[in-house]
């Protein structure tokens, strides 16, 4: 699964970093940091969950 | 219009469930006409799906010029209809909102919260020791639920805790549904005055206010406004959540027993308590900036809309298996207790951490904790814009 984030949309709520710390972190300004651009199969559900929890829908997971 | 023009319901069947009408509306008409207290007609949204869609849609504005309170609240009159106060980002849209929020987000990241945890544990421990020394019965709000978030937000902002009496009193006035416009205006003025001083050269150099002053992106008046907003929001809503969560657990002994038996449930339990209690009980106001087709209706530019967070949080379409039941093992992700969209609560991870630390510590120290009065004598703060209890008399 490919993971894209739109940092311009990010408001720093940090829901992604809480949900999948393996993939998402926050920088010192609270903006999302993508730790990996692809998610292994065992994290697919969690990445989808993080995308759904993002209050500004800044996360786009793409199955491929 | 098919639906009767009814006002926002306010009567609760019990301390924990929102007004029953909200559930009925959600089933039959998740977006419906509603009578606002000033007599004009607007809209009420009660389903999780529509609430989420609206709060993440940039066509709906949060600017104070358009806001009208869904229930009678004379104290809101001086603020609604006028431009946002300096720094008051909850009343702004992008890009003004973005500019201010960006200055604050870094102070409330999950990592920053983890750094604060040791200090939080000390604060909690001290307060519980004071409570133990005092002996039962005590008011849990006064001795625990209010000071925990209050001390923490003061330290984060760099506001001396000795100033708390001043801001607590004014903040209570601000959040009350019963005060007059003049009283609310005066309370807001006093809060700005207090924060202007504290964010100036005399304040604590390590706090967020000093950091903002040094950074220079926000002007002095905006920093004072941010201080007022975070200080009032930061202790009022969290203290309500903490006290009401304790009340809910004491009233659901099976759930409390589960949590005590398996402390690992606490993270999930806190999410479920936030969902179930939804202390922001009159929801959030929005207004379309243009005519918008939404949920099968034409919403006209300038109309008032109230998004009911408590109703969305009890929606069986999102939370399967009896959402009106408190179940600390339920998967309650996606709840809207902190709102949704660009205005989603800035301090949500601080709230989470405070509840995750405070609730287990409280029940560990006082395993026999119980209400000191019959549950129907607990004074509920239905008369505040943030729901909770005024006092929670407990014994052990």
């Amino acid at each position: 699964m490919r993971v894209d984030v739109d940092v311009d949309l990010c408001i720093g709520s940090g829901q992604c970093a809480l949900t999948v710390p393996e993939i998402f972190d926050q920088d010192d300004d609270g903006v999302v940091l993508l730790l990996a651009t692809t998610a292994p199969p065992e994290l697919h559900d969690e990445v989808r969950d993080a995308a759904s929890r993002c209050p500004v829908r800044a996360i786009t997971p793409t199955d491929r | 219009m098919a639906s009767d023009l009814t006002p926002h319901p306010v009567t609760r069947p019990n301390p924990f469930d929102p007004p029953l009408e909200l559930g009925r509306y959600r089933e039959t008409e998740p977006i419906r006409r509603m009578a606002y207290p000033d007599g004009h007609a607007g809209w009420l949204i009660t389903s999780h799906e529509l609430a989420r869609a609206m709060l993440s849609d940039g066509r709906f504005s949060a600017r104070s010029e358009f806001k009208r309170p869904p229930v009678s609240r004379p104290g809101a009159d001086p603020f609604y209809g006028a431009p946002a106060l300096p720094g008051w980002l909850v009343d702004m849209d992008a890009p003004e909102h973005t500019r201010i929020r960006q200055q604050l987000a870094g102070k409330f990241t999950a990592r920053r919260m983890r750094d604060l945890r040791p200090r939080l544990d000390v604060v909690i421990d001290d307060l519980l020791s004071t409570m133990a020394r005092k002996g039962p019965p005590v008011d849990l709000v006064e001795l625990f639920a209010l000071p925990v978030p209050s001390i923490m937000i003061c330290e984060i902002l760099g506001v001396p805790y000795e100033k708390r009496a001043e801001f607590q009193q004014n903040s209570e006035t601000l959040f009350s549904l019963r005060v007059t416009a003049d009283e609310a205006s005066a309370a807001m003025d006093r809060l700005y005055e207090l924060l202007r001083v504290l964010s100036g050269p005399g304040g604590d150099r390590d706090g967020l206010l000093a950091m903002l002053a040094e950074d220079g992106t926000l002007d002095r008046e905006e920093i004072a406004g941010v201080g007022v907003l975070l200080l009032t929001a930061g202790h009022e809503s969290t203290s309500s959540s903490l006290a009401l969560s304790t009340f809910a657990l004491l009233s659901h002994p099976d759930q409390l027993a589960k949590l005590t038996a398996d402390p690992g449930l606490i993270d999930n339990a806190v999410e479920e308590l936030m969902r179930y209690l939804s202390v922001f009980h009159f929801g959030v106001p929005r207004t379309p900036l243009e005519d918008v087709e939404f949920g099968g209706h034409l919403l006209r530019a300038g109309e008032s809309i109230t998004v009911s967070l408590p109703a969305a949080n009890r929606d069986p379409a999102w939370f399967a298996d009896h959402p009106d039941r408190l179940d600390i093992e339920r998967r309650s992700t996606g709840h809207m207790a902190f709102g949704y969209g660009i205005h989603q609560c800035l301090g949500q991870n601080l709230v989470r951490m405070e509840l995750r630390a405070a609730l287990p510590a409280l029940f560990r120290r006082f395993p026999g904790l119980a209400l000191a009065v019959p549950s129907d004598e607990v004074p509920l703060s239905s008369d505040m814009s943030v729901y909770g209890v005024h006092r929670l008399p407990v014994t052990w």
Side-chain angles (χ1 to χ4, degrees):
Chain A
M1 171 187 281
R2 193 179 127 173
V3 187
D4 288 295
V5 294
D6 185 340
V7 291
D8 292 334
L9 287 179
C10 181
I11 55 159
S13 83
Q15 299 315 290
C16 54
L18 284 181
T19 311
V20 209
E22 297 91 338
I23 304 287
F24 305 102
D25 198 357
Q26 290 172 277
D27 69 13
D28 287 344
D29 294 327
V31 176
V32 58
L33 273 179
L34 203 50
L35 301 177
T37 50
T38 52
E42 65 271 22
L43 291 181
H44 286 186
D45 283 350
E46 288 174 55
V47 171
R48 280 188 209 101
D49 190 24
S52 146
R53 289 178 67 180
C54 174
V56 291
R57 305 184 183 198
I59 300 168
T60 313
T62 314
D63 289 313
R64 53 166 195 196
Chain B
M1 191 54 54
S3 56
D4 296 328
L5 209 55
T6 50
H8 192 293
V10 293
T11 309
R12 287 172 168 261
N14 60 58
F16 308 117
D17 289 328
L20 296 173
E21 291 92 332
L22 289 173
R24 286 207 297 274
Y25 297 163
R26 189 183 53 229
E27 264 172 48
T28 55
E29 249 186 319
I31 172 165
R32 81 193 310 264
R33 286 300 229 175
M34 180 176 100
Y36 279 69
D38 61 2
H40 85 284
W43 300 91
L44 174 65
I45 287 184
T46 45
S47 76
H48 190 279
E49 186 189 353
L50 291 180
R52 227 164 108 100
M54 172 154 295
L55 293 179
S56 57
D57 186 332
R59 293 174 300 175
F60 298 101
S61 172
R63 278 163 53 191
S64 47
E65 287 96 318
F66 306 122
K67 282 182 177 172
R68 302 200 217 194
V71 297
S72 174
R73 195 182 168 198
D77 288 348
F79 311 111
Y80 288 176
L85 295 172
W88 208 256
L89 66 158
V90 291
D91 283 345
M92 300 174 185
D93 294 338
E96 293 84 359
H97 166 272
T98 321
R99 183 177 65 89
I100 300 178
R101 178 138 182 162
Q102 275 170 351
Q103 300 300 309
L104 309 175
K107 273 285 187 185
F108 293 91
T109 60
R111 193 181 305 132
R112 293 267 188 168
M113 296 304 111
R114 278 196 294 276
D115 293 346
L116 288 177
R117 179 62 190 257
R119 170 64 189 145
L120 172 62
D121 286 335
V122 170
V123 166
I124 287 171
D125 202 52
D126 286 352
L127 290 167
L128 292 175
S129 295
T130 306
M131 209 168 114
R133 271 199 305 278
K134 207 155 181 191
V138 302
D139 172 15
L140 192 82
V141 173
E142 183 199 347
L143 291 188
F144 191 62
L146 191 53
V148 169
S150 191
I151 292 172
M152 294 310 288
I153 195 67
C154 280
E155 292 190 2
I156 291 170
L157 293 176
V159 170
Y161 187 58
E162 301 73 58
K163 298 278 179 193
R164 71 191 178 282
E166 272 176 77
F167 77 71
Q168 267 166 18
Q169 196 190 356
N170 288 308
S171 140
E172 246 179 71
T173 303
L174 215 52
F175 282 104
S176 170
L177 303 181
R178 302 193 192 288
V179 299
T180 65
D182 285 348
E183 286 166 336
S185 262
M188 187 68 101
D189 286 347
R190 281 195 296 273
L191 285 166
Y192 265 82
E193 239 163 74
L194 181 67
L195 267 296
R196 243 177 244 131
V197 173
L198 293 171
S199 54
D204 175 350
R205 305 321 301 156
D206 294 331
L208 173 63
L209 296 176
M211 195 201 75
L212 291 172
E214 195 157 316
D215 178 78
T217 307
L218 305 186
D219 68 32
R220 183 90 184 270
E221 207 55 13
E222 287 177 322
I223 297 171
V226 162
V228 174
L229 179 64
L230 297 187
L231 204 50
T232 50
H235 78 276
E236 202 81 26
S237 49
T238 317
S239 86
S240 285
S241 298
L242 181 47
L244 200 57
S245 293
T246 307
F247 186 17
L249 286 170
L250 291 175
S251 305
H252 295 78
D254 57 321
Q255 299 297 310
L256 179 56
K258 255 190 218 175
L259 182 59
T260 314
D262 182 2
L265 287 173
I266 186 61
D267 289 7
N268 203 68
V270 165
E271 296 309 307
E272 170 67 354
L273 284 162
M274 302 300 300
R275 177 197 75 82
Y276 179 71
L277 299 171
S278 301
V279 297
F280 221 71
H281 62 145
F282 294 127
V284 287
R286 289 290 182 271
T287 294
L289 294 171
E290 56 195 87
D291 289 359
V292 174
E293 280 280 352
F294 186 90
H297 294 274
L298 178 66
L299 312 190
R300 301 236 177 238
E303 282 190 318
S304 302
I305 302 162
T306 293
V307 182
S308 174
L309 303 180
N313 276 343
R314 298 293 185 98
D315 189 343
W318 186 276
F319 305 102
D321 198 18
H322 306 292
D324 284 326
R325 206 169 56 200
L326 175 69
D327 172 6
I328 63 165
E329 289 175 284
R330 174 197 309 279
R331 189 180 148 76
S332 47
T333 51
H335 73 72
M336 303 181 76
F338 296 113
Y340 195 70
I342 65 166
H343 291 284
Q344 195 182 50
C345 178
L346 175 72
Q348 59 179 299
N349 294 325
L350 176 61
V351 180
R352 286 193 168 94
M353 177 177 68
E354 289 175 345
L355 292 175
R356 287 169 179 184
L359 288 169
L362 173 67
F363 288 107
R364 253 194 328 267
R365 182 75 75 97
F366 304 105
L369 197 77
L371 291 179
V373 297
S375 63
D376 57 7
E377 285 176 24
V378 174
L380 305 169
S381 51
S382 318
D383 55 342
M384 304 288 280
S385 57
V386 177
Y387 180 70
V389 295
H390 286 301
R391 288 185 307 284
L392 191 66
V394 293
T395 183
W396 57 85

